[in-house]
Amino acid sequence: MKIAVASGKGGTGKTTVAINLALSAQQPLQLLDCDVEEPNAHLFLKTTPIHQQIVTIPVPKIDETRCDGCGLCSQFCAFNALVSFGTTPVFEPEMCHGCGGCMRVCPKEAIREIEKRVGIIETSKSGNITLVQGRLDIGVALAPPLIHAVKKEARSDLIIMDAPPGTSCPVIATLREVDFVVLVTEPTPFSLNDLKLAIDVVREIGLSFGVVINRACENDNLVRPYCQTEKIQILAEIPDDRRIAESYAKGIPIIEALPEYKNLFVNLLHKISEAA
Amino acid sequence: MKEIVIISGKGGTGKTSLVASFAILAKNAILADCDVDAADLHLILTPTIKETHEFWSGYEAFIRQGICEGCGTCMDLCRFNAIKETKTPKGNYTYHVDPISCEGCGVCVRFCPKSAIEFNEQLCGKWMISETRAGMMVHAKLGIAAENSGKLVATVRQEALRLAKETKCEMILIDGPPGIGCPVIAAVTGASEVVIITEPTLSGAHDLKRVLDLTKHFSIPAFVCVNKWDICPDMTEQIEKQATSSGATILGRICYDNTVTQAQKEVKAVVETNAPSANDIREIWNKLLHHHQIEKEKH
Ligand code: SF4
Ligand code: SF4
């Protein structure tokens, strides 16, 4: 089973939920940190490194002695990564998606492909949990190729993924082909707004999902009523407990700092397995 | 002209609340919400929309079934696994494009031996110019599961710049996206300065470091403020030290204040309420202005 933990808005407790879910599972599992722009899961787990793997995408390399400046490659490139003024094109690596089209259209066979590094995948282990974390290199614009590479490492029966925030390409790359999405939100106007956007995306992709309310309060007149009218399952509510915030600040998982919350996450995992 | 981008690396550190307050304090800046895939600034500034524009960007491939002969060339060539194959009862194959995976590179379109593939421009969202109580605002909404958020960010910035020039406005305040990838790069490259708001947690410190590496990479002056600093004063100090040594300027600290959500509910910027953190935000704003003054005198 593949479970993704996501949230339209960042900082709602997505990583917290992913970590504590992983820690409350009774079986070996992989935790995939797909928030490759700001991977945080490793801060909460004392893991032993196993291996590292550099991730690259193929990008064009133009042989100037063969190029006659026809500009066909630059006309072809849908992402404006090649700029030609009747000369050998200038290549803008941040724009390139690595589609290979320019190499195929070049009539002079002047383009070959070289590998460009976009990030790194670090695999490490702690108890039952194998953490697979992607880390995007600084200055690299496109996260999806790295996210796909992280997802390729998925092997175990139970997979928990920490998704990036937002609703655009990186989130979609993460959510494709998962069995269940846990959307973490808070009872604030901003979070509710972003939750609605995230739900639009999850519905568009056609995935089953449920909501976890973090920093829940008694008089929540935002998220709870919304979920009730929309008939969305509230899977769990994590109370607004200052001790949780403090343990989070120090990078200690809730169920280690405050064992009384262990049941909450065990039940959450149970509910997810039933719903998925 | 000052183009100031407020970002946070990690989301949820109070970025949009800070932008809304800055907008009120600036009185007459042009505002740009570049957090296009989860825009929230409009929830506080309640814009009255004056203009709406469609945002067309990028392409998507579409296989015309009548013309496709099922050779499968497209599937071999597509590097994004966007071509899906289905076996028919007769035993041959049909192909179609999965719109969510298609990146719109056009390789299949170009190399289909039957020219069976259409390449259509995509409607990826919309952008708006609005009036708010704090000045003109450019904002956007990315289409559901749409691509090209980076280009939408660039469009919003461009329009804000145009408005600022037209109205002879000296300042643009930009609510930036989270992360360090394409939308953030589109929001910060070429900007005058970046204000980063973080919080004293391990994750906050970690994400701040990545964002500072990014601003350094693009040589943009960075300012840092720590929100909820009193949750962990030691960590705050550590973060400030780390930021200073990477060349950033510390603007100040904002105290932990649970009335911020109340301000959101009342559709007010924090500085429009009596929230305890309002003064901290004013001080940070004044410090930023002071910096601009010093800079001006230097020139
Ligand atoms: S590989 Fe594709 S995206 Fe990259 S430069 Fe060539 S045509 Fe453009
Ligand atoms: S346009 Fe490119 S990404 Fe889309 S289906 Fe064709 S080859 Fe694949």
Side-chain angles (χ1 to χ4, degrees), chain A residues 58-60 73 76-82 91 95-103 113, chain B residues 79 105:
Chain A
V59 298
C73 57
F76 176 82
C77 180
F79 310 106
N80 301 321
L82 291 162
F91 176 55
M95 314 283 273
C96 175
H97 287 222
C99 72
C102 50
M103 177 181 69
E113 286 185 318
Chain B
R79 293 224 170 130
C105 69

Side-chain angles (χ1 to χ4, degrees), chain B residues 80-259:
Chain B
F80 309 103
N81 290 320
I83 311 262
K84 305 291 170 205
E85 183 180 63
T86 339
K87 200 169 182 177
T88 64
K90 280 186 203 145
N92 45 13
Y93 292 94
T94 60
Y95 295 86
H96 75 271
V97 175
D98 164 18
I100 294 178
S101 295
C102 174
E103 300 206 2
C105 69
V107 166
C108 59
V109 181
R110 171 69 181 253
F111 294 98
C112 171
K114 295 288 159 200
S115 303
I117 309 183
E118 280 174 14
F119 207 34
N120 302 315
E121 211 180 350
Q122 286 301 293
L123 182 60
C124 289
K126 57 182 181 182
W127 58 270
M128 287 84 65
I129 297 184
S130 299
E131 263 168 20
T132 76
R133 63 181 184 284
M136 302 284 275
M137 162 162 158
V138 187
H139 50 135
K141 188 164 177 4
L142 192 70
I144 299 169
E147 303 208 3
N148 290 306
S149 55
K151 282 201 186 125
L152 185 52
V153 166
T155 308
V156 169
R157 255 185 89 188
Q158 219 173 10
E159 287 303 317
L161 201 62
R162 186 182 58 78
L163 268 182
K165 279 188 185 141
E166 271 175 27
T167 56
K168 301 210 166 50
C169 184
E170 286 297 308
M171 185 186 282
I172 301 175
L173 288 172
I174 298 175
D175 189 350
I180 58 158
C182 115
V184 185
I185 294 176
V188 303
T189 35
S192 333
E193 62 204 25
V194 166
V195 174
I196 306 162
I197 176 162
T198 184
E199 51 179 40
T201 62
L202 265 189
S203 323
H206 174 263
D207 296 350
L208 173 67
K209 187 173 174 305
R210 306 247 305 153
V211 181
L212 284 174
D213 285 346
L214 186 81
T215 52
K216 217 186 232 172
H217 182 90
F218 291 104
S219 318
I220 309 160
F223 295 89
V224 170
C225 47
V226 182
N227 195 8
K228 306 184 189 160
W229 73 270
D230 40 349
I231 314 185
C232 191
D234 290 351
M235 181 89 77
T236 299
E237 225 157 89
Q238 224 173 300
I239 286 178
E240 289 174 341
K241 260 192 210 140
Q242 178 200 327
T244 312
S245 67
S246 11
T249 309
I250 307 300
L251 283 181
R253 301 172 171 185
I254 303 170
C255 65
Y256 176 80
D257 180 357
N258 52 13
T259 64

Side-chain angles (χ1 to χ4, degrees), chain A residues 8-11 36-40 42-44 58 76 78-79 97-101 103-105 113 135-136 138-141 165-169 172 176 187-190 193-194 197 200-201 204-205 222 242 248-251, chain B residues 9-12 16-17 37-40 42-44 77 79-80 98 100-101 103-107 110-111 141-142 144-145 147 149 178-182 185 199-203 206-207 210-211 213-214 217 231 235 261 264-265:
Chain A
K9 183 172 148 56
V36 301
E37 295 178 42
E38 301 286 12
N40 279 162
H42 69 280
L43 299 171
F44 295 86
F76 176 82
F79 310 106
H97 287 222
C99 72
M103 177 181 69
R104 291 180 197 282
V105 297
E113 286 185 318
R135 185 187 288 271
L136 193 70
I138 302 292
V140 170
T167 60
S168 58
C169 323
I172 291 152
R176 296 295 328 256
T188 70
F190 286 2
N193 179 54
D194 298 350
L197 297 170
D200 282 346
V201 170
E204 174 78 19
I205 310 179
L222 294 166
R242 192 179 164 112
Y248 172 82
K250 294 186 207 125
Chain B
K10 183 178 144 53
T16 301
S17 295
D37 64 324
D40 286 332
H42 65 279
L43 297 175
I44 299 297
L77 294 181
R79 293 224 170 130
F80 309 103
D98 164 18
I100 294 178
S101 295
E103 300 206 2
C105 69
V107 166
R110 171 69 181 253
F111 294 98
K141 188 164 177 4
L142 192 70
I144 299 169
E147 303 208 3
S149 55
I180 58 158
C182 115
I185 294 176
E199 51 179 40
T201 62
L202 265 189
S203 323
H206 174 263
D207 296 350
R210 306 247 305 153
V211 181
D213 285 346
L214 186 81
H217 182 90
I231 314 185
M235 181 89 77
T261 306
Q264 266 181 38
K265 287 185 183 160

Side-chain angles (χ1 to χ4, degrees), chain A:
Chain A
M1 182 173 56
K2 278 194 186 138
I3 306 165
V5 186
S7 69
K9 183 172 148 56
T12 56
K14 183 175 58 63
T15 304
T16 303
V17 170
I19 296 281
N20 287 286
L21 263 185
L23 285 170
S24 48
Q26 300 296 319
Q27 65 189 97
L29 72 141
Q30 279 174 303
L31 177 61
L32 309 185
D33 196 343
C34 296
D35 189 358
V36 301
E37 295 178 42
E38 301 286 12
N40 279 162
H42 69 280
L43 299 171
F44 295 86
L45 297 168
K46 298 198 173 37
T47 55
T48 323
I50 302 178
H51 71 97
Q52 292 195 334
Q53 172 197 337
I54 287 170
V55 177
T56 60
I57 61 166
V59 298
K61 170 102 183 130
I62 304 179
D63 178 348
E64 292 184 25
T65 59
R66 289 186 167 204
C67 171
D68 67 358
C70 71
L72 286 175
C73 57
S74 110
Q75 279 164 33
F76 176 82
C77 180
F79 310 106
N80 301 321
L82 291 162
V83 187
S84 161
F85 305 97
T87 51
T88 302
V90 178
F91 176 55
E92 314 260 5
E94 318 75 61
M95 314 283 273
C96 175
H97 287 222
C99 72
C102 50
M103 177 181 69
R104 291 180 197 282
V105 297
C106 176
K108 300 279 175 207
E109 291 183 10
I111 304 182
R112 66 189 173 91
E113 286 185 318
I114 54 168
E115 294 298 320
K116 179 196 163 212
R117 179 182 155 140
V118 291
I120 186 166
I121 295 180
E122 291 150 334
T123 307
S124 57
K125 215 168 153 36
S126 162
N128 267 343
I129 304 174
T130 305
L131 174 66
V132 182
Q133 155 181 286
R135 185 187 288 271
L136 193 70
D137 283 354
I138 302 292
V140 170
L142 299 177
L146 182 55
I147 294 172
H148 288 134
V150 171
K151 286 178 75 180
K152 269 210 190 103
E153 297 298 308
R155 271 180 202 98
S156 58
D157 291 336
L158 178 60
I159 311 267
I160 297 175
M161 303 198 282
D162 189 357
T167 60
S168 58
C169 323
V171 182
I172 291 152
T174 306
L175 297 187
R176 296 295 328 256
E177 283 138 27
V178 304
D179 300 304
F180 194 83
V181 185
V182 178
L183 293 172
V184 185
T185 188
E186 293 171 351
T188 70
F190 286 2
S191 282
L192 177 60
N193 179 54
D194 298 350
L195 172 67
K196 290 178 186 166
L197 297 170
I199 289 175
D200 282 346
V201 170
V202 171
R203 284 192 171 142
E204 174 78 19
I205 310 179
L207 301 166
S208 358
F209 68 97
V211 165
V212 169
I213 307 178
N214 193 13
R215 298 188 194 103
C217 55
E218 279 307 312
N219 52 352
D220 170 7
N221 52 7
L222 294 166
V223 180
R224 247 183 247 150
Y226 169 76
C227 290
Q228 272 150 14
T229 14
E230 287 281 310
K231 301 210 169 32
I232 294 164
Q233 189 183 7
I234 298 175
L235 298 160
E237 298 196 14
I238 305 169
D240 187 11
D241 180 341
R242 192 179 164 112
R243 294 174 307 159
I244 295 184
E246 282 163 1
S247 69
Y248 172 82
K250 294 186 207 125
I252 307 170
I254 302 178
I255 63 174
E256 275 172 19
L258 307 159
E260 64 262 42
Y261 285 110
K262 180 155 186 176
N263 265 338
L264 191 152
F265 289 98
V266 172
N267 289 340
L268 173 59
L269 191 59
H270 187 70
K271 272 199 190 156
I272 295 169
S273 326
E274 276 181 349

